[in-house]
Amino acid sequence: MSLECYDITIIGGGPVGLFASFYAGLRQAKTKIIESLPQLGGQPGMLYPDKIIYDIAGFPSISAKDLTNNLLEQMDRFKPTICLGEEAFKVEVLENNQFLIHTPKQTHLTKTIIIAAGNGPFQPRRLEIENAAVYEDKQLHYFVNNIERFRDKVVTICGGGDSAVDWALTLEPIAKHVNIVHRRNKFRAQEHSVELLNQSSVDVYTPYVPLSINGDGERLESVTFKAPRGDEQLTLPCDEFIVNYGFSSSIAGLKDWGFNIERNTIPVDSRMQTNVPGIFAIGDIASYVGKVKIIATGFGEAPLAVNNAVAHINPDSNVQPMHSTSLF
């Protein structure tokens, strides 16, 4: 069976990848996005959709969820092909200089590649206690993407960093009650957030670590904790259990693609091209002298990569395109 060939395949469906897809549509490039997560939006959309972002041009403030929705609406004008839940683990350069991208699910054919994978595919650091896996995707959560699920519920949060404290504060006015449990007496979150936590109605329990999840296998009823030293135990009834132990990410799967790798980033030139002709990188995964790792920088890098990818496909095309005001 012959594979459908795309002009540009974008690896990574976070904010920068979404904007790159829209811009590729402006250049009338046939575009595909491959995303390892089950939904688009990347880390902002999955991990902190209700947090406010302040450094996006033209928006004094915008939530990560609204930013993602705006980018999806903008991109949808051109209807790119979306492949979710696929991690690109291998690329082959063909004799005609096109590329085959292999994922566990299928193989993709493309003329150019733009890598917008952030810090690489990421996974939550899971709770390693008995029965934890039984309640995953039920009442055990490693990230929050719908705060309404927790309305009028008793919520227990594990963790001591910014995410754990921020979610405790965010859910306080929504949930029936919120507990936060940390394995140390001191939180790692920003001092101001910890001060707000201490002034809130959230019950704080330290130092404790999870010991067991209690329930019938379908419905979680409580979580038992123990002191790191000694035999003291604590059982907290709860309806929903959030574990914020952080996430691990790696670009290990990209290291066999033939790239130069420096400190887990891919060096690029002024065209955003890697050392492999036809493969470009943008966003946090791309590096060059003076790089500033913020979303706004990635948004600026996306048109550079797209325009040069189009020029790579067709050397007679114009790297400097028409203004969008002339196109619509």
Side-chain angles (χ1 to χ4, degrees):
M1 183 179 68
S2 61
L3 295 174
E4 185 176 4
C5 186
Y6 285 77
D7 295 321
I8 298 174
T9 296
I10 299 166
I11 297 176
V16 173
L18 297 180
F19 183 64
S21 175
F22 161 74
Y23 199 89
L26 288 181
R27 296 305 311 269
Q28 296 185 317
K30 185 178 180 179
T31 306
K32 174 184 285 185
I33 295 177
I34 300 175
E35 168 57 54
S36 63
L37 294 172
Q39 69 182 54
L40 295 172
Q43 292 193 28
M46 287 286 285
L47 302 187
Y48 48 90
D50 293 290
K51 283 192 175 182
I52 303 300
I53 301 172
Y54 298 98
D55 56 1
I56 305 299
F59 293 93
S61 64
I62 186 169
S63 70
K65 177 173 61 179
D66 288 341
L67 175 63
T68 299
N69 289 338
N70 287 353
L71 288 164
L72 290 171
E73 181 181 351
Q74 183 183 43
M75 179 188 73
D76 193 54
R77 178 189 293 268
F78 299 111
K79 309 294 184 194
T81 298
I82 308 296
C83 299
L84 299 176
E86 294 191 42
E87 182 175 342
F89 66 86
K90 182 180 179 182
V91 66
E92 291 183 58
V93 183
L94 303 179
E95 290 184 359
N96 60 1
N97 292 322
Q98 294 180 353
F99 302 93
L100 286 177
I101 302 172
H102 299 278
T103 77
K105 292 184 178 180
Q106 59 182 315
T107 299
H108 308 266
L109 178 63
T110 186
K111 297 176 182 177
T112 62
I113 298 171
I114 297 177
I115 301 174
N119 295 314
F122 67 99
Q123 296 292 332
R125 292 190 175 94
R126 286 179 158 78
L127 197 60
E128 296 182 358
I129 62 173
E130 187 178 358
N131 288 340
V134 173
Y135 294 95
E136 289 180 3
D137 301 322
K138 295 177 183 176
Q139 295 89 41
L140 171 57
H141 314 274
Y142 295 107
F143 46 81
V144 177
N145 52 24
N146 178 15
I147 62 175
E148 284 301 315
R149 177 189 179 97
F150 303 91
R151 184 172 294 279
D152 299 325
K153 302 286 186 67
V154 177
V155 182
T156 296
I157 301 173
C158 262
D162 286 309
S163 291
V165 173
D166 287 349
W167 280 122
L169 294 172
T170 298
L171 294 174
E172 180 198 15
I174 295 171
K176 181 178 180 180
H177 184 68
V178 177
N179 304 306
I180 187 168
V181 183
H182 184 36
R183 62 192 175 120
R184 295 190 178 97
N185 286 317
K186 186 176 181 179
F187 286 88
R188 303 186 313 276
Q190 291 184 358
E191 291 84 352
H192 179 64
S193 298
V194 175
E195 181 180 355
L196 292 176
L197 179 68
N198 292 332
Q199 296 172 356
S200 73
S201 65
V202 175
D203 281 340
V204 178
Y205 297 93
T206 63
Y208 290 99
V209 296
L211 178 64
S212 65
I213 298 178
N214 313 311
D216 60 7
E218 288 297 323
R219 173 58 57 183
L220 181 152
E221 297 175 356
S222 64
V223 180
T224 298
F225 301 86
K226 69 177 292 290
R229 298 178 181 178
D231 299 325
E232 182 183 357
Q233 294 187 7
L234 167 74
T235 297
L236 296 176
C238 68
D239 303 309
E240 306 285 346
F241 186 31
I242 301 172
V243 176
N244 285 141
Y245 282 171
F247 288 75
S248 60
S249 62
S250 172
I251 68 167
L254 303 177
K255 290 183 178 180
D256 296 329
W257 290 27
F259 299 129
N260 295 327
I261 301 291
E262 294 180 2
R263 297 181 179 180
N264 282 329
T265 64
I266 303 172
V268 295
D269 61 19
S270 60
R271 298 168 295 172
M272 309 309 299
Q273 186 168 243
T274 70
N275 62 295
V276 180
I279 301 184
F280 303 80
I282 58 178
D284 285 355
I285 202 167
S287 63
Y288 48 82
V289 175
K291 171 70 176 261
V292 177
K293 288 189 175 184
I294 57 174
I295 294 176
T297 299
F299 285 164
E301 293 167 352
L304 288 171
V306 169
N307 287 328
N308 284 288
V310 170
H312 179 86
I313 296 168
N314 180 10
D316 295 328
S317 66
N318 191 354
V319 174
Q320 178 62 51
M322 296 176 63
H323 295 293
S324 60
T325 50
S326 303
L327 295 174
F328 297 129

